[in-house]
Amino acid sequence: MDPMDAIRATYFEECAELLEVLEDGLLSLQAGTPDADTIDAVFRAVHSIKGGAAAFNLGLLVGFAHEFETVLDALRNGELKGGSDAFAVLLRASDTLGDLVSAVRDDLPVDAPDTRDLARLLSGGTPSSAGGGFVPVMIDLGQDMNGPVRPDVRRVWTILFEPLPELLGSGNEPLYLFRALEVLGRIEVTAIETDLPTLDRLDPDVPRLRWSVRLTPSAPDLTETEIEAVFEFAVDLCILEVSAMQDGDRPATPIAPFAPDIAERGDVAPPETAAPATVAAPSGPATIRVDLTRVDRLVDLVGELVISQSVLAQGLAQAGLDHRSEAIATLEDLQQLTRDIQDSIMSIRAQPVKPLFQRMTRIVREVSTATGKDIHLVTEGEATEIDKTVVERLTDPLTHMVRNAIDHGIEDPAERVRVGKSAIGVVRLTARQKSDRVVIEVSDDGRGIDRARVLEKAITRGMVEAGSILDPAEIDRLLFKPGLSTVTEISSLSGRGVGMDVVQRAIRDLSGTISVRSETGKGCTISISLPLTLAILDGMIVRASGHHMVLPLSSIVETQSADTARTEMLSAGQEVVLMQDRFVPMLDLGQCMGFPVGSAVGGQDDDEAALLFVQPENGGIYALRVDAIEAQRQVVIKGLSDNFGHIPCVSAATILGNGQVALIVDPAGTARHAGLRPETHEHLATEARAS
Amino acid sequence: MTFHGRDDIPLDPATVAELLTFRCGGQSYGIDIMAVREIRGWSEPTPLPHAAPFMRGMVNLRGAVLPVMDLAQRLGQARTVDDPRNVIIVVQDGRRVHGLLVESVSDIVHPGADQLQDVPPAGPEEPGTMAERLFILDDEMIQVLSTSRILPAVCSARAENGT
């Protein structure tokens, strides 16, 4: 399929979902009392349809959606009272919008829809049921996609590996590391023997050999992180330099051939280097298209497999079987297999962010034409992989962010020249993996956030009390509140101030966090941090108030035993604990969850009680007191939002080996709920405090 | 009051469905059997933090997380006493699957359209009753419940978070 067609198809798929949201919202508004959240959702649905339509130049759709949106905006501001008549008109309008979307999708001829009823709603008149006028309109869909697509460059990596004495001391073996590297592609290992000391000066306890490994990856998109992952357990025990070069270059360091005498000693066997001819052709492996629901079914099944396996393991342990028995050994094999299956399935779902970034190049073109600003888009880390669902659901937020960056961030060319910048604005879109999260950033070199204007706007909108003084970070956070837009005139691009709160909500739904850094005159960076997968989490299983809970391992920075930790009371209910010469706040996990503490549930076993020092994304470190730390384990994440909506302090649930459901604690949400003030101001606790 | 929610179960007198009847808080209720997915024995739910008191928590339904509410408490009565003989009725409403903790399941009945009565206004409109219809079986009043009305709104917890 042509890339443009694929993007267009995605847009219409999204439209179908948005129309559903719209209709559901209107129906529930019609049935009950209007609630602000539903009105917001309805408004955003129409807004998103409009935004996409504008990108595809679907003038008719944009026009109608704009009218519709205006009425919904009035409803949102309370200017329009939602009577049953009004909702009937709105529902009819949502049907019209649906028809329009499908007509445009199927390239059918469409008439300009009747917007008179909508207009009458605004003017306060009574709606009629008269048909619309027929004005055929040409729709231009023929915009081709010729964004810059970087060809795949097969890179050759040079890895310089120098073991420290501790490496061998701790039982690591360079050969195994090289073999692990071999899984990634063809390797040529060369020992660097030029600077070896003579035998009489050799200290047998100090390894002096260094190796240079030339790795020709079998996958063209191999990243440095993946290579470094091979050395994960040896990372502090060796000196490692990983560098990439284009195929054909030779490494700069002169390297002598592999020393044969070492191999003869039996310490290191020469790795079997594959014949160059067997390396897979760069044309890429064969692929099949699979319905995503089938993959998802597989993900679910593996999740259930993992759970039944832990139940089985616990059953066997309880049956009192000997640790050396065959059943236990087989179970361990099974566990290994399950883990491999799990990893394989997760890798099926992982997708590079490249198509997402490609869509943005088009958005940039559109917006730069519409605003008359010259924009240069720089993308980095397109090969970074992330769960498919995440990739799909990032489109809208990223579109908003890119539009905002150009529309609000980048100055007009004339102004840029006046302040001494290049007339061409730069928008940078980067993705990179950072341990078990992916960080995506949109930055511009524009004027930065106009904080005075944001504050003024917030005051006029009644979001902040007049005369209040906010620090810059607090003002920046206002951007994520619904209904704030610093552009006075409403454009079809970005503008009505739905942008950033949509972005924030979408990111939060993906268990991500968002933060903003801005420097006046230099530009603004919005960064999104997302979990690598939505399905599996490395967790610490703890017990608090008689319940098992799971804390994400990635958020834990340190643990201490509760009886040796130095805790102090600030005032009633406010405790702090010493961590590396600094006092940090301390909370009781059970108490945060609102569960009865202490005696009511089996007493506090003080000898088992522990403190977990956690650091939420972009937040300050604090300690969580738990009754016991039970285990460290990979758990399958079971989302709760479909059935429960948002639950404070909890990000999801999981099922433990005994079949019990356990909650997965959200460290940032817990801090917010307990009223801890984030240490760094980038953290988005605004919602909890400001309203 | 008429209610035209999309997921509402039609209770058109002409096409009255089969009802699963059960006891809960000392009273009898009925629910459209088409909304019932299965009936499970009692297992201790994991409580949810900061949830409505009638939300008992979650149980493991073959690898999925099933929310469980105490139906008696939801209907304004006392909390159901923990008892291994209690059962959880798993109901489905649209895409949502929910567990209802009740005392016991009684029977499957198929009342005629003429046996069903409207609920008479017996007090202030709010909070009002959750029953859609009433009928009498063996000298006992059975309240017919609608799943969409019993299930708590999902957005409420989110709205509460924003305060």
Side-chain angles (χ1 to χ4, degrees):
Chain A
M1 208 189 314
D2 176 47
M4 198 52 226
D5 283 342
I7 296 172
R8 197 166 170 267
T10 317
Y11 164 67
F12 283 112
E13 269 168 39
E14 283 162 10
C15 272
E17 280 174 30
L18 291 167
L19 285 166
E20 213 175 296
V21 170
L22 172 64
E23 199 186 347
D24 280 352
L26 285 175
L27 281 171
S28 80
L29 285 174
Q30 192 184 30
T33 43
D35 85 81
D37 266 274
T38 317
I39 296 179
D40 270 354
V42 164
F43 179 77
R44 279 198 301 264
V46 177
H47 182 79
S48 299
I49 292 177
K50 185 182 89 167
F56 286 99
N57 229 351
L58 307 172
L60 200 57
L61 203 49
V62 176
F64 184 73
H66 189 79
E67 295 291 333
F68 199 174
E69 194 188 3
T70 314
V71 178
L72 291 173
D73 198 31
L75 187 69
R76 192 163 70 151
N77 297 341
E79 287 163 32
L80 176 70
K81 291 280 166 280
S84 62
D85 283 358
F87 282 116
V89 174
L90 290 177
L91 275 168
R92 216 154 40 207
S94 91
D95 291 343
T96 312
L97 189 63
D99 293 346
L100 213 52
V101 166
S102 35
V104 170
R105 181 191 56 209
D106 301 334
D107 275 343
L108 300 174
V110 240
D111 302 320
D114 182 13
T115 58
R116 279 177 292 174
D117 279 355
L118 285 174
R120 264 188 220 107
L121 269 186
L122 277 185
S123 58
T126 46
S128 81
S129 53
F134 291 88
V135 187
V137 174
M138 278 288 286
I139 300 166
D140 181 20
L141 297 168
Q143 291 246 353
D144 65 339
M145 170 97 182
N146 37 22
V149 179
R150 220 181 290 160
D152 274 338
V153 181
R154 174 171 293 248
R155 294 198 285 189
V156 176
W157 297 86
T158 303
I159 301 145
L160 206 63
F161 173 69
E162 182 179 347
L164 296 175
E166 295 82 12
L167 182 92
L168 299 173
S170 62
N172 278 289
E173 160 70 88
L175 177 62
Y176 293 150
L177 294 170
F178 297 153
R179 280 192 184 150
L181 267 183
E182 210 177 0
V183 174
L184 300 176
R186 186 163 54 87
I187 58 170
E188 288 168 44
V189 185
T190 323
I192 303 170
E193 53 177 17
T194 46
D195 51 355
L196 288 184
T198 51
L199 198 57
D200 55 324
R201 294 184 179 200
L202 190 74
D203 179 351
D205 285 335
V206 181
R208 297 302 296 262
L209 263 183
R210 295 181 294 145
W211 286 272
S212 162
V213 183
R214 204 173 130 85
L215 169 68
T216 315
S218 41
D221 53 355
L222 186 78
T223 63
E224 196 169 331
T225 323
E226 283 172 85
I227 296 176
E228 279 167 0
V230 169
F231 295 91
E232 195 180 347
F233 296 110
V235 71
D236 298 326
L237 311 172
C238 64
I239 297 165
L240 193 66
E241 279 170 37
V242 181
S243 53
M245 62 195 136
Q246 305 301 340
D247 203 358
D249 297 356
R250 294 302 301 186
T253 30
I255 288 169
F258 194 86
D261 56 328
I262 297 178
E264 278 157 25
R265 284 211 317 263
D267 287 343
V268 187
E272 319 85 68
T273 42
T278 61
V279 176
S283 60
T287 57
I288 53 163
R289 277 173 176 276
V290 182
D291 188 354
L292 191 63
T293 54
R294 293 192 192 182
V295 178
D296 285 348
R297 175 79 190 120
L298 218 48
V299 171
D300 276 355
L301 282 175
V302 171
E304 287 168 32
L305 182 64
V306 171
I307 291 159
S308 353
Q309 175 189 285
S310 352
V311 176
L312 181 65
Q314 212 156 50
L316 283 181
Q318 275 162 9
L321 278 184
D322 188 346
H323 277 295
R324 282 159 307 199
S325 74
E326 207 172 319
I328 298 282
T330 320
L331 183 71
E332 273 164 19
D333 289 349
L334 179 67
Q335 277 168 341
Q336 184 58 47
L337 278 174
T338 321
R339 210 165 299 143
D340 289 352
I341 297 177
Q342 209 167 44
D343 288 350
S344 313
I345 292 176
M346 288 310 144
S347 71
I348 294 179
R349 287 192 55 96
Q351 287 205 325
V353 294
K354 191 172 171 180
L356 181 69
F357 280 16
Q358 267 177 357
R359 286 179 79 155
M360 294 310 127
T361 59
R362 190 187 162 92
I363 303 287
V364 167
R365 255 206 323 278
E366 299 283 347
V367 182
S368 90
T369 318
T371 53
K373 296 172 185 173
D374 241 347
I375 306 294
H376 178 52
L377 177 73
V378 183
T379 57
E380 269 169 43
E382 288 172 323
T384 311
E385 287 195 333
I386 194 164
D387 191 272
K388 181 176 163 61
T389 319
V390 180
V391 173
E392 281 163 4
R393 285 162 63 183
L394 270 180
T395 314
D396 272 355
L398 218 52
T399 307
H400 276 299
M401 285 160 64
V402 168
R403 276 194 199 140
N404 275 341
I406 302 172
D407 214 11
H408 304 311
I410 305 267
E411 311 89 333
D412 292 328
E415 194 186 333
R416 289 182 66 88
V417 173
R418 195 163 46 78
V419 296
K421 292 183 189 175
S422 151
I424 301 171
V426 177
V427 172
R428 196 175 283 275
L429 197 55
T430 61
R432 62 177 194 278
Q433 190 177 335
K434 203 174 148 191
S435 72
D436 62 344
R437 296 182 82 81
V438 169
V439 179
I440 296 180
E441 287 188 343
V442 175
S443 52
D444 63 68
D445 67 343
R447 58 172 81 92
I449 294 171
D450 187 347
R451 298 197 172 103
R453 197 136 140 236
V454 171
L455 184 59
E456 186 195 312
K457 200 85 184 175
I459 291 173
T460 23
R461 293 276 162 111
M463 291 154 61
V464 175
E465 267 179 52
S468 46
I469 295 161
L470 301 181
D471 62 40
E474 280 175 314
I475 297 176
D476 292 352
R477 283 198 298 271
L478 285 175
L479 290 176
F480 296 103
K481 300 283 286 175
L484 187 108
S485 174
T486 52
V487 168
T488 3
E489 96 198 57
I490 293 163
S491 70
S492 67
L493 286 170
S494 54
R496 242 194 258 248
V498 283
M500 290 317 281
D501 73 302
V502 184
V503 171
Q504 191 188 8
R505 194 162 279 195
I507 299 304
R508 211 183 271 171
D509 285 349
L510 292 170
S511 325
T513 55
I514 186 166
S515 63
V516 54
R517 288 192 308 275
S518 167
E519 208 174 325
T520 310
K522 293 248 178 81
C524 177
T525 300
I526 297 177
S527 104
I528 300 174
S529 160
L530 294 156
L532 210 50
T533 161
L534 296 176
I536 304 279
L537 176 92
D538 270 310
M540 183 86 92
I541 300 175
V542 300
R543 203 178 66 225
S545 298
H547 300 291
H548 286 105
M549 293 178 219
V550 179
L551 272 146
L553 208 54
S554 57
S555 67
I556 301 174
V557 288
E558 192 181 312
T559 58
Q560 284 184 18
S561 164
D563 47 5
T564 57
R566 186 166 159 212
T567 56
E568 302 279 347
M569 190 81 87
L570 277 188
S571 64
Q574 286 196 321
E575 280 184 279
V576 289
V577 59
L578 201 59
M579 182 191 125
Q580 293 162 1
D581 306 330
R582 276 185 63 116
F583 280 107
V584 298
M586 181 170 100
L587 304 171
D588 186 279
L589 182 57
Q591 209 170 358
C592 289
M593 296 284 170
F595 297 148
V597 178
S599 56
V601 277
Q604 285 181 324
D605 313 330
D606 271 331
D607 40 330
E608 270 195 295
L611 297 180
L612 299 176
F613 292 84
V614 295
Q615 181 162 35
E617 283 282 316
N618 302 322
I621 295 180
Y622 67 96
L624 274 175
R625 190 187 180 286
V626 298
D627 295 344
I629 294 177
E630 302 255 311
Q632 187 179 318
R633 197 164 297 161
Q634 278 207 331
V635 296
V636 180
I637 299 175
K638 300 282 175 183
L640 294 176
S641 45
D642 286 351
N643 263 317
F644 300 94
H646 181 85
I647 306 166
C649 314
V650 172
S651 60
T654 187
I655 296 172
L656 297 180
N658 58 6
Q660 277 281 330
V661 177
L663 298 166
I664 299 176
V665 179
D666 167 18
T670 306
R672 211 154 49 218
H673 194 82
L676 293 187
R677 214 185 134 85
E679 221 161 73
T680 56
H681 294 293
E682 283 157 12
H683 192 71
L684 295 165
T686 335
E687 260 190 83
R689 289 185 290 115
S691 47
Chain B
M1 179 180 116
T2 50
F3 190 85
H4 292 294
R6 160 182 278 199
D7 300 322
D8 212 4
I9 290 146
L11 275 174
D12 182 2
T15 57
V16 177
E18 278 188 299
L19 299 173
L20 175 76
T21 60
F22 52 90
R23 291 192 65 80
C24 163
Q27 285 187 294
S28 282
Y29 298 91
I31 198 160
D32 184 351
I33 201 147
M34 294 313 286
V36 177
R37 277 214 349 197
E38 63 180 283
I39 296 163
R40 288 177 64 81
W42 165 249
S43 58
E44 178 73 38
T46 303
L48 269 171
H50 313 291
F54 60 79
M55 282 302 303
R56 275 297 187 87
M58 310 162 289
V59 295
N60 170 11
L61 179 72
R62 286 183 304 277
V65 174
L66 178 78
V68 175
M69 73 160 94
D70 187 331
L71 187 61
Q73 219 170 351
R74 172 71 177 157
L75 299 172
Q77 295 156 26
R79 184 182 165 96
T80 307
V81 183
D82 284 357
D83 187 320
R85 280 171 301 180
N86 290 345
V87 292
I88 296 171
I89 303 178
V90 182
V91 295
Q92 182 156 23
D93 177 54
R95 291 218 310 260
R96 292 176 70 190
V97 179
H98 217 289
L100 308 176
L101 174 65
V102 303
E103 278 161 20
S104 62
V105 176
S106 323
D107 202 358
I108 293 170
V109 296
H110 197 165
D114 50 338
Q115 284 174 272
L116 287 174
Q117 306 175 11
D118 283 338
V119 182
E125 204 158 300
E126 289 298 321
T129 170
M130 294 253 177
E132 289 257 302
R133 295 291 169 96
L134 304 175
F135 72 99
I136 292 176
L137 187 79
D138 299 335
D139 210 23
E140 191 178 33
M141 182 185 77
I142 294 180
Q143 304 184 37
V144 182
L145 300 173
S146 130
T147 40
S148 54
R149 208 181 286 182
I150 319 166
L151 298 192
V154 169
C155 314
S156 60
R158 186 177 286 228
E160 173 197 314
N161 185 47
T163 55

